[in-house]
Amino acid sequence: MQEKEIIQQTIAFVKRTLAGAEAGHDWFHIERVYKTALTINESAQADTLVVSLAALLHDIADSKFNNGDEEIGPRIAGEFMASLNLAPEIILHVKQIILNMSFKASLGTVSFHSKELEVVQDADRLDAIGAIGIARAFTYGGFKNRVLYDPAIPPVENMSKEAYKNTTAPTINHFYEKLLLLKDLMRTEKGKAMAQQRHDFMLQYLEQFYKEWEGKR
């Protein structure tokens, strides 16, 4: 099977599987991460097929929508790739990327590393910051019925993996507990460059948010 056909079939599978998904983790999120990963890979020069498959399949079954099960996503992705008769080493590589690329995973022990992981991880993290990242944060907060902000509940620094998985904190806290940390976690040069502008935009947004909260603007 040609690479183009593999990607076309993967896109169709992801669209079908994520129909009706929460808006911050739907097909459009996948599409953005896929496009950004390809942009980053123009300079990173990682394996294009592995990068493409990992980007397209990384949220096929996000653990936070599956009772915290961190194995279901790699398993479903692996079963799909096997149905395309892809080489076992490609399937294993993509599954390892999916298992280890999340921010949550980085709070624990990560023993797997590859250039392809760096590319897809940066692309996914870029979609969590900037204008779209802000929109996604509040979309998910609304999905979980969380308050926007509560001055009486401060952000938690240096959260453990379990604490992060179980947090019910206001959405604004998420900026300090994750989003504002991502700029310094970028692995590729292109990712770092793209992250800076998005990071600065979030800081501007928070400044405006607090002024409006206090009735100052």
Side-chain angles (χ1 to χ4, degrees):
M1 187 181 298
Q2 296 295 315
E3 185 169 321
K4 182 177 180 181
E5 185 179 353
I6 292 170
I7 298 305
Q8 288 175 340
Q9 289 201 29
T10 304
I11 288 173
F13 170 71
V14 174
K15 285 183 175 181
R16 185 168 63 250
T17 303
L18 295 184
E22 183 266 335
H25 299 81
D26 59 3
W27 160 249
F28 293 112
H29 163 63
I30 302 299
E31 183 179 41
R32 291 190 302 270
V33 172
Y34 172 55
K35 290 178 177 178
T36 303
L38 293 180
T39 296
I40 293 173
N41 204 40
E42 290 173 3
S43 54
Q45 294 294 293
D47 185 289
T48 303
L49 180 59
V50 171
V51 165
S52 298
L53 288 169
L56 289 168
L57 294 167
H58 80 277
D59 266 348
I60 199 65
D62 191 309
S63 63
K64 60 179 163 285
F65 301 111
N66 289 278
N67 300 313
D69 185 349
E70 296 175 23
E71 301 291 336
I72 187 172
R75 177 176 59 78
I76 291 175
E79 290 170 354
F80 169 73
M81 289 185 286
S83 76
L84 299 182
N85 295 314
L86 297 181
E89 58 269 24
I90 291 177
I91 295 174
L92 178 60
H93 194 170
V94 173
K95 289 175 66 177
Q96 286 292 328
I97 291 173
I98 295 170
L99 185 63
N100 290 283
M101 66 178 280
S102 71
F103 177 75
K104 175 177 73 270
S106 71
L107 298 176
T109 300
V110 178
S111 58
F112 174 81
H113 300 281
S114 74
K115 184 186 294 187
E116 290 75 17
L117 168 61
E118 292 180 356
V119 170
V120 181
Q121 189 174 59
D122 276 10
D124 187 42
R125 289 175 171 176
L126 282 165
D127 206 55
I129 61 178
I132 287 176
I134 292 171
R136 291 182 67 216
F138 284 106
T139 294
Y140 185 72
F143 178 79
K144 300 294 287 187
N145 199 32
R146 294 178 182 171
V147 298
L148 299 179
Y149 173 53
D150 185 342
I153 304 176
V156 178
E157 296 183 1
N158 301 315
M159 297 180 77
S160 67
K161 182 177 179 179
E162 285 304 309
Y164 179 81
K165 285 173 63 175
N166 297 313
T167 184
T168 58
T171 299
I172 284 294
N173 291 31
H174 190 59
F175 284 75
Y176 302 95
E177 294 167 352
K178 175 184 177 181
L179 307 188
L180 292 173
L181 307 178
L182 295 180
K183 173 180 70 70
D184 293 331
L185 297 178
M186 294 292 162
R187 307 290 295 279
T188 65
E189 291 306 311
K190 182 64 174 179
K192 292 174 183 178
M194 295 175 73
Q196 184 64 60
Q197 189 274 336
R198 300 188 189 202
H199 180 86
D200 293 343
F201 183 86
M202 290 193 298
L203 293 177
Q204 295 169 8
Y205 172 82
L206 288 169
E207 180 181 1
Q208 177 75 15
F209 181 95
Y210 293 127
K211 287 180 179 177
E212 292 183 11
W213 188 269
E214 297 298 334
K216 299 287 179 70
R217 181 174 292 182

